[in-house]
Amino acid sequence: EVQLVESGGGLVQAGGSLRLSCAFSGSTFDDYAIGWFRQAPGKEREGVTCIMNNDRSTYYADAVKGRFTVTSDSAKNTVFLQMNSLKPEDTAVYYCGAGSSCFRLRLGARQVDSWGQGTQVTVSS
């Protein structure tokens, strides 16, 4: 059974940076795509980015292109999300989710097979 554990959230001022981590266990890391999703209060969970671990192909939502970078470390079974130039509208609980491909995960949160517990990111203006 796949297990995911996020870490690295916190409070940061607008324009600042944070790095989130998603530690993977319970199956073969390279067989999975890992997506980052976020959910703000009163809003639906939305996809932010995705990386396919076996070929490092990536996808980014328009709202974060040029500011967020997703990377994958197979030696550590961990996916990282580097978030730069943060804006107040980036405030949300961030979740990582595992699935079979970024093609599927791009379709939305319902395509995720396993979720982490989430980590809060708050960006003050």
Side-chain angles (χ1 to χ4, degrees):
E1 180 183 358
V2 171
Q3 294 185 327
L4 303 172
V5 178
E6 299 100 336
S7 60
L11 172 64
V12 65
Q13 290 188 333
S17 298
L18 281 175
R19 188 193 195 204
L20 306 184
S21 299
C22 175
F24 173 103
S25 63
S27 191
T28 303
F29 184 69
D30 283 354
D31 287 347
Y32 287 84
I34 302 295
W36 285 96
F37 295 77
R38 65 187 182 186
Q39 189 165 19
K43 294 188 176 181
E44 291 189 356
R45 195 170 296 189
E46 64 175 1
V48 174
T49 184
C50 182
I51 187 166
M52 186 67 211
N53 289 327
N54 63 7
D55 65 5
R56 304 295 192 267
S57 58
T58 57
Y59 159 79
Y60 294 92
D62 288 344
V64 305
K65 280 181 181 176
R67 300 189 298 122
F68 290 12
T69 302
V70 62
T71 57
S72 177
D73 187 335
S74 293
K76 297 180 179 179
N77 280 6
T78 301
V79 170
F80 301 97
L81 180 61
Q82 179 67 42
M83 304 186 295
N84 299 329
S85 302
L86 282 162
K87 305 175 181 179
E89 52 263 44
D90 294 319
T91 295
V93 178
Y94 282 70
Y95 300 87
C96 61
S100 60
S101 70
C102 285
F103 177 78
R104 280 190 62 211
L105 294 184
R106 288 179 60 176
L107 298 177
R110 292 183 178 181
Q111 304 300 319
V112 172
D113 296 325
S114 301
W115 288 104
Q117 82 286 357
T119 185
Q120 177 70 47
V121 170
T122 303
V123 184
S124 63
S125 57

